[in-house]
Amino acid sequence: MSNLNVLVSGSGIAGSVFAFCLLRAYPNANITIVERDPALRLTGASVDIRSSAVDIIKWMGVEPAIRQQTTNEKGIQFVNESGKAVATLEATGDVKMQSATSEYEIFRGALTKVFTDPIIDRVNTIFDETIDHYEEREDGVYVTFTKSKQTRKYDLLVAADGVRSKIRAAMLETSPEEHITSKGVHVAYFTIKKDLLEGGQLAKWYNATNRRAIFLRPDPDPAGRTRGNLMVITTDMDLETRQKLDNAVRQGNESFMTLLEDLFKDVGWLAPEVLAGMRQSEDFYCSLFGRVRASKLQKGRVALLGDAGYATPGIGTSLAIIGGYVLAGELLKNDGDIAMAAKGYEDIMLPHVNGMVNSETPMQYANPETWWGIWIRNTILGVVTGFKLDRLAMMVGSVLGWSEKKVAMPDYPWLSEYPWPTEG
């Protein structure tokens, strides 16, 4: 079936990687991407690329373009209230054994553009629109759009519409929140119009009591900027604070900023400058770390991709890349047979994501509640990094052949040549 007619809901990383790979499999495929925003959203915080996703970006031919646009972050430095370094976790320089700072730290918008630029003229993109509902029939999936009220038929509907996927809810006959598990981490992301890191390439992490954290990351923009993150981490014992944060996220940016100003008003280090920069930023957004584990990733002619099916804090971008590649590969492997391809995709991705250990506690342990807890954590990190035990562990792991867990994927029969240039 060389003329596949596919609708993708969402123009982010998952949707654009899938479209890219599908055009590699079926150059004549008819791909439509529906996007709720009025244009491609090319903003966002730093993301990274790990595991099998590294192999995929090399296969796609876009690794050089990604490396050219990385943030140049060299590691993470933990600081005290006076700004003095207490520990530094450096990047490893090894794509097979990456530290907290990846070898591919890149802003979400820049990464999305890398994936969309080669295909933007080869797909039909509908902006400022969403899917109202769909109906599966024997000859295809009929999709009705929210604003235009038009109904169109497709061979496959791919839901790449994020954590609160409306399509997932319809497919599984649940609410959008049904398969979301909160990790107790609420984060604000924004660009500060001042270089608070003074040209440094180390991100800086500061903790205050009650599990409040300031995380500043370098921005290579020559104008001099900093990427700011304000985090509040809660446990199941502090449901009152968690509810306040949840409510503020639902109410929108202004509500969340106001709450953060109250929560961080007594915090030291660069908190006043960060809060002022937050107010002056033009790209503020807030979210919570939520894990999605859908009970299934496909049903009939509908497939869940990326965060819509398996959002995972810390490795969600990589999973989105892997998922897009696998779904397109399964369509090629099964000669366009939608049912077989969707089942093959599910059989590969679902066991992998379900096998991931992704409990709530790591962020809670990493961000203690009391000054005493912060001192203990800083002391441990200081000893480990001061004696370079972290580097030693990485070196031993590399010698022993340890690497990040990869997805077991078939060798798909891709076309031998790209139908468009990808080097940039």
Side-chain angles (χ1 to χ4, degrees):
M1 188 186 292
S2 61
N3 294 317
L4 279 170
N5 186 22
V6 178
L7 176 64
V8 181
S9 178
S11 64
I13 292 168
S16 57
V17 169
F18 168 69
F20 187 116
C21 296
L22 188 62
L23 286 171
R24 176 77 186 273
Y26 295 103
N28 296 321
N30 180 22
I31 303 173
T32 300
I33 300 176
V34 58
E35 170 56 48
R36 65 183 178 184
D37 289 328
L40 287 174
R41 188 163 70 89
L42 299 179
T43 58
S46 179
V47 297
D48 57 35
I49 302 171
R50 300 173 184 271
S51 180
S52 300
V54 174
D55 301 324
I56 292 169
I57 62 170
K58 292 178 179 179
W59 169 84
M60 292 172 73
V62 298
E63 192 211 23
I66 291 172
R67 283 200 176 275
Q68 288 172 10
Q69 298 188 57
T70 58
T71 66
N72 298 319
E73 183 176 302
K74 301 302 182 184
I76 299 175
Q77 189 172 78
F78 292 84
V79 300
N80 61 22
E81 63 274 8
S82 64
K84 181 181 178 180
V86 296
T88 302
L89 296 173
E90 297 177 351
T92 65
D94 183 355
V95 299
K96 295 180 180 179
M97 290 283 290
Q98 302 189 61
S99 69
T101 295
S102 168
E103 300 307 303
Y104 301 99
E105 293 286 346
I106 182 172
F107 297 129
R108 182 179 297 275
L111 184 59
T112 299
K113 194 171 187 300
V114 168
F115 292 140
T116 56
D117 275 355
I119 64 169
I120 195 68
D121 295 327
R122 299 174 59 87
V123 300
N124 173 36
T125 306
I126 305 173
F127 290 109
D128 197 26
E129 183 61 282
T130 58
I131 294 172
D132 183 73
H133 63 274
Y134 68 86
E135 178 186 355
E136 285 202 60
R137 302 178 190 171
E138 188 173 334
D139 62 336
V141 54
Y142 288 74
V143 176
T144 300
F145 295 96
T146 304
K147 292 187 176 180
S148 70
K149 308 300 181 185
Q150 292 182 337
T151 299
R152 299 176 186 173
K153 186 185 81 167
Y154 299 92
D155 297 315
L156 173 66
L157 169 60
V158 177
D161 51 344
V163 171
R164 288 184 170 80
S165 170
K166 185 177 177 180
I167 299 172
R168 180 183 71 239
M171 188 186 92
L172 300 177
E173 300 179 356
T174 62
S175 70
E177 287 75 29
E178 178 73 20
H179 295 90
I180 303 173
T181 303
S182 171
K183 310 310 294 178
V185 182
H186 293 73
V187 190
Y189 306 89
F190 47 92
T191 301
I192 301 170
K193 299 175 183 177
K194 183 179 179 181
D195 184 6
L196 297 180
L197 299 176
E198 300 178 335
Q201 292 182 317
L202 290 173
K204 295 197 176 184
W205 188 299
Y206 169 70
N207 278 95
T209 55
N210 298 317
R211 293 192 168 90
R212 296 168 294 174
I214 300 173
F215 187 33
L216 302 182
R217 311 191 78 167
D219 186 326
D221 190 294
R225 308 191 307 185
T226 310
R227 296 298 176 116
N229 300 260
L230 290 176
M231 291 179 279
V232 182
I233 299 92
T234 56
T235 69
D236 289 339
M237 301 296 290
D238 190 11
L239 295 181
E240 182 179 352
T241 301
R242 185 176 292 184
Q243 188 61 53
K244 286 182 181 179
L245 291 160
D246 286 342
N247 290 339
V249 169
R250 282 192 290 268
Q251 291 165 9
N253 288 347
E254 177 59 34
S255 177
F256 201 76
M257 278 194 278
T258 300
L259 179 58
L260 287 177
E261 288 170 331
D262 181 59
L263 291 173
F264 282 81
K265 63 186 178 184
D266 63 338
V267 172
W269 190 45
L270 296 175
E273 292 92 332
V274 173
L275 289 172
M278 176 186 74
R279 271 294 173 187
Q280 297 166 5
S281 67
E282 298 172 355
D283 59 352
F284 179 94
Y285 72 99
C286 56
S287 68
L288 66 134
F289 279 9
R291 188 185 74 164
V292 171
R293 286 297 179 267
S295 54
K296 58 193 309 180
L297 299 179
Q298 54 82 34
K299 184 179 179 181
R301 294 178 178 270
V302 181
L304 307 180
L305 184 63
D307 285 354
Y310 34 83
T312 306
I315 198 170
T317 298
S318 297
L319 289 176
I321 294 169
I322 296 166
Y325 173 90
V326 170
L327 181 56
E330 288 298 310
L331 285 164
L332 177 60
K333 175 186 172 185
N334 292 281
D335 196 24
D337 185 313
I338 302 298
M340 290 291 292
K343 186 63 170 64
Y345 160 73
E346 181 181 71
D347 288 345
I348 291 171
M349 293 301 298
L350 201 55
H352 180 75
V353 298
N354 285 342
M356 289 183 168
V357 177
N358 196 241
S359 65
E360 175 185 293
T361 52
M363 283 296 285
Q364 281 69 17
Y365 287 142
N367 297 273
E369 184 174 4
T370 65
W371 282 121
W372 177 243
I374 294 170
W375 181 85
I376 292 174
R377 187 213 56 187
N378 287 347
T379 300
I380 293 172
L381 286 175
V383 170
V384 169
T385 59
F387 286 97
K388 300 190 181 300
L389 300 180
D390 57 323
R391 309 292 294 180
L392 178 61
M394 290 289 185
M395 289 174 58
V396 171
S398 181
V399 170
L400 294 177
W402 297 346
S403 63
E404 296 171 339
K405 182 180 179 181
K406 294 191 176 185
V407 182
M409 297 179 291
D411 289 327
Y412 296 117
W414 302 103
L415 297 178
S416 59
E417 295 182 359
Y418 291 95
W420 62 82
T422 57
E423 296 288 347

